[in-house]
Amino acid sequence: MTGLRVAQDKAAGVAVVTLDRERKHNAIDLATAAELAAVWREFRFADDVRAVVLTGAGRAAFCTGVDRGVEVPQPSSPYSVDDPLVAIGPKANDLWKPVIAAVNGMACGGAFYLLGESEFIVSSATATYFDPHTTYGMVSAYEAVYMAQRMPFGEAARMSLMGTAERLSARRAYEIGLVSELAEPDELLAAALRAAGTLAACPTEAVQGTVRALWSAKQAALQQALAQAPALISLGNLAPERQADLFTGRRAAPEPRIR
């Protein structure tokens, strides 16, 4: 595998999936997107994996979404959008074993596809959360929908609309319920592994059934909202060259406010 590292403690029943593109802030290219989908589907058959920790290499970023260098050809139809990230999450691949996200550094944009399909988030105290889409002339559709499922509406709206002007601190994310536990950077993985070990020690049939029940509580509304995302993106996104101009000029922007 090129963009992922997968380690497994068979005795504990826990696997650790690490986005391993540290120099790219763990941004996801097409190969990594395919690897993520394959790993989640493989775990469905791995009886010695009963819980999963998902994290990113290094301390700078958990994930910064899709790699800006990726070219994704789009159909000419205004009713269709090809999004390379729609199938990178565990639930999109029919995995109902619990996934804990261990967030280190920046988590932004397309990272929310992964956070949105994790059971809960353990965060480094130095992590930050933000959504850059509007700054660069893009509609935050999938990302905003996922975050609206996990955060108070006003907080999700603020983060989705403010773009790069503002970042949500780990402390604030904890206060509003996006994050369930804070840990110091050196202790992040250990904290996530402790929680995963507890889940893996329970009968997996009961745990998976509970995961499925929790998701069923919101899945109908989630699927209806996600179904509208392609059309909203087609209508609202600037042309790629205009997005590129905005992205190129990002260094002139003021430092984001962290709250």
Side-chain angles (χ1 to χ4, degrees), residues 54-139:
L54 172 65
T55 193
R59 292 190 179 182
F62 166 75
C63 176
T64 54
V66 70
D67 190 324
R68 291 287 301 183
V70 168
E71 291 188 10
V72 183
Q74 294 296 324
S76 59
S77 170
Y79 304 104
S80 301
V81 176
D82 276 359
D83 186 333
L85 303 188
V86 291
I88 63 171
K91 307 305 178 292
N93 288 283
D94 196 37
L95 179 70
W96 300 100
K97 298 176 182 181
V99 176
I100 299 169
V103 175
N104 38 345
M106 294 182 290
C108 63
F112 298 152
Y113 288 71
L114 293 169
L115 298 186
E117 291 198 4
S118 300
E119 269 53 69
F120 55 87
I121 300 168
V122 178
S123 176
S124 164
T126 59
T128 57
Y129 303 79
F130 64 102
D131 189 342
H133 280 75
T134 57
T135 298
Y136 302 128
M138 295 179 284
V139 173

Side-chain angles (χ1 to χ4, degrees), residues 125-197:
T126 59
T128 57
Y129 303 79
F130 64 102
D131 189 342
H133 280 75
T134 57
T135 298
Y136 302 128
M138 295 179 284
V139 173
S140 177
Y142 292 98
E143 297 84 357
V145 167
Y146 278 122
M147 290 301 98
Q149 294 275 323
R150 306 199 71 119
M151 301 164 64
F153 181 84
E155 294 286 350
R158 180 168 181 150
M159 184 170 67
S160 300
L161 292 167
M162 292 290 282
T164 60
E166 187 173 274
R167 295 186 181 186
L168 196 68
S169 68
R171 170 57 58 182
R172 182 60 180 158
Y174 176 75
E175 290 171 350
I176 64 175
L178 174 62
V179 165
S180 68
E181 182 179 353
L182 294 177
E184 291 304 312
D186 288 340
E187 300 169 1
L188 173 66
L189 186 59
L193 286 170
R194 281 194 297 273

